């Protein structure tokens, strides 16, 4: 897919700068969600991962995976960017942790069907690949009863985006219905859909919804990602989905 080639080129070029900007925060709070680093201990979206086969679905430098390996998970970390995986390997060595780092497209993961108990990402493949493809692919990868857990930008981020300032605002600027992909002038893309379409897509591929967490910025929130904490106190900029593959 053409947008994947553009996304890969972008992340390969940006990986060093990205880790320089955000790596310290991600390393300090690896088991936390989104730009505000909401602790997993507060949300409990993943639960006990000890003994589970886990795929991080767009891992960047794999800070999450390193933390989960320390909790007894059998982790595989996937990313299409070799430059990001180079950072992941460096952090593995630093943490004295080893697990497979897989350079591949999230739309065609080189793994057998029913290989994992948990597939998760934090602004990973579920943000930068077409969900019509990834939800089906995760359904193939999971064992019956396995879970998909992912955090991504909510529709609110897109409909309140002011094209004049390229920032979120208190007004609606973009249509809600019909949203799907947002392509930048350089060809990179991210994806979003109305919430009802996510629900329908999950049901189409055999998933039941356990939870949808609408993440709110903490009162004292700061972030390295440039988001507006006052805005994110009033509206949910991120959604954290927990869905489960039903036995067939």
């Amino acid at each position: 897919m053409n947008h994947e080639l553009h996304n890969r080129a972008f992340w390969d070029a940006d990986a060093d700068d990205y880790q320089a900007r955000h790596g310290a925060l991600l390393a300090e709070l690896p088991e936390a969600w989104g730009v505000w680093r909401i602790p997993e201990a507060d949300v409990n979206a993943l639960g006990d991962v000890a003994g589970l086969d886990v795929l991080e679905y767009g891992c960047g430098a794999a800070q999450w995976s390193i933390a989960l390996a320390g909790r007894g998970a059998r982790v595989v970390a996937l990313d299409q960017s070799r430059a990001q995986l180079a950072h992941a390997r460096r952090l593995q060595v630093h943490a004295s942790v080893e697990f497979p780092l897989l350079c591949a497209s999230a739309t065609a993961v080189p793994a057998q069907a029913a290989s994992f108990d948990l597939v998760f990402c934090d602004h990973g493949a579920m943000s930068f690949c077409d969900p019509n493809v990834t939800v089906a692919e995760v359904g193939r990868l999971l064992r019956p009863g396995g879970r998909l857990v992912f955090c991504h930008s909510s529709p609110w981020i897109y409909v309140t985006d002011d094209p004049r300032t390229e920032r979120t605002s208190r007004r609606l600027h973009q249509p809600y219905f019909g949203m799907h992909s947002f392509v930048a002038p350089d060809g990179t893309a991210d994806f979003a859909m109305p919430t009802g379409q996510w629900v329908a897509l999950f049901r189409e591929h055999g998933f039941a919804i356990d939870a949808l967490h609408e993440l709110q910025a903490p009162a004292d929130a700061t972030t390295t990602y440039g988001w507006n904490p006052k805005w994110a106190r009033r509206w949910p900029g991120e959604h954290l989905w927990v869905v489960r593959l039903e036995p067939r």
Side-chain angles (χ1 to χ4, degrees), residues 96-188:
S96 299
V97 173
E98 190 166 352
F99 49 80
L101 298 174
L102 186 59
C103 187
S105 168
T107 63
V109 178
Q112 293 184 345
S115 293
F116 297 99
D117 304 299
L118 172 66
V119 174
F120 82 99
C121 63
D122 190 10
H123 288 273
M126 295 301 295
S127 297
F128 300 113
C129 296
D130 188 340
N132 290 306
V133 180
T134 53
V135 172
E137 178 67 350
V138 172
R140 182 187 73 84
L141 293 167
L142 282 173
R143 297 171 180 135
R147 290 172 296 135
L148 167 62
V149 180
F150 67 99
C151 178
H152 67 152
S153 298
S154 78
W156 289 89
I157 286 289
Y158 298 96
V159 298
T160 62
D161 180 64
D162 185 339
R164 296 169 301 175
T165 63
E166 298 184 344
R167 294 170 100 44
T168 53
S169 72
R170 292 182 292 174
R171 295 186 177 185
L172 301 178
H173 294 276
Q174 312 295 338
Y176 177 79
F177 295 110
M179 68 167 62
H180 184 67
S181 64
F182 297 84
V183 181
D186 64 4
T188 59

Side-chain angles (χ1 to χ4, degrees), residues 174-221:
Q174 312 295 338
Y176 177 79
F177 295 110
M179 68 167 62
H180 184 67
S181 64
F182 297 84
V183 181
D186 64 4
T188 59
D190 55 356
F191 292 83
M193 297 191 303
T195 301
Q197 283 186 239
W198 280 107
V199 172
L201 187 60
F202 294 140
R203 296 305 302 154
E204 177 185 349
H205 293 286
F207 288 94
I209 298 168
D210 287 347
L212 170 58
H213 302 277
E214 297 180 296
L215 300 184
Q216 182 183 30
D220 58 349

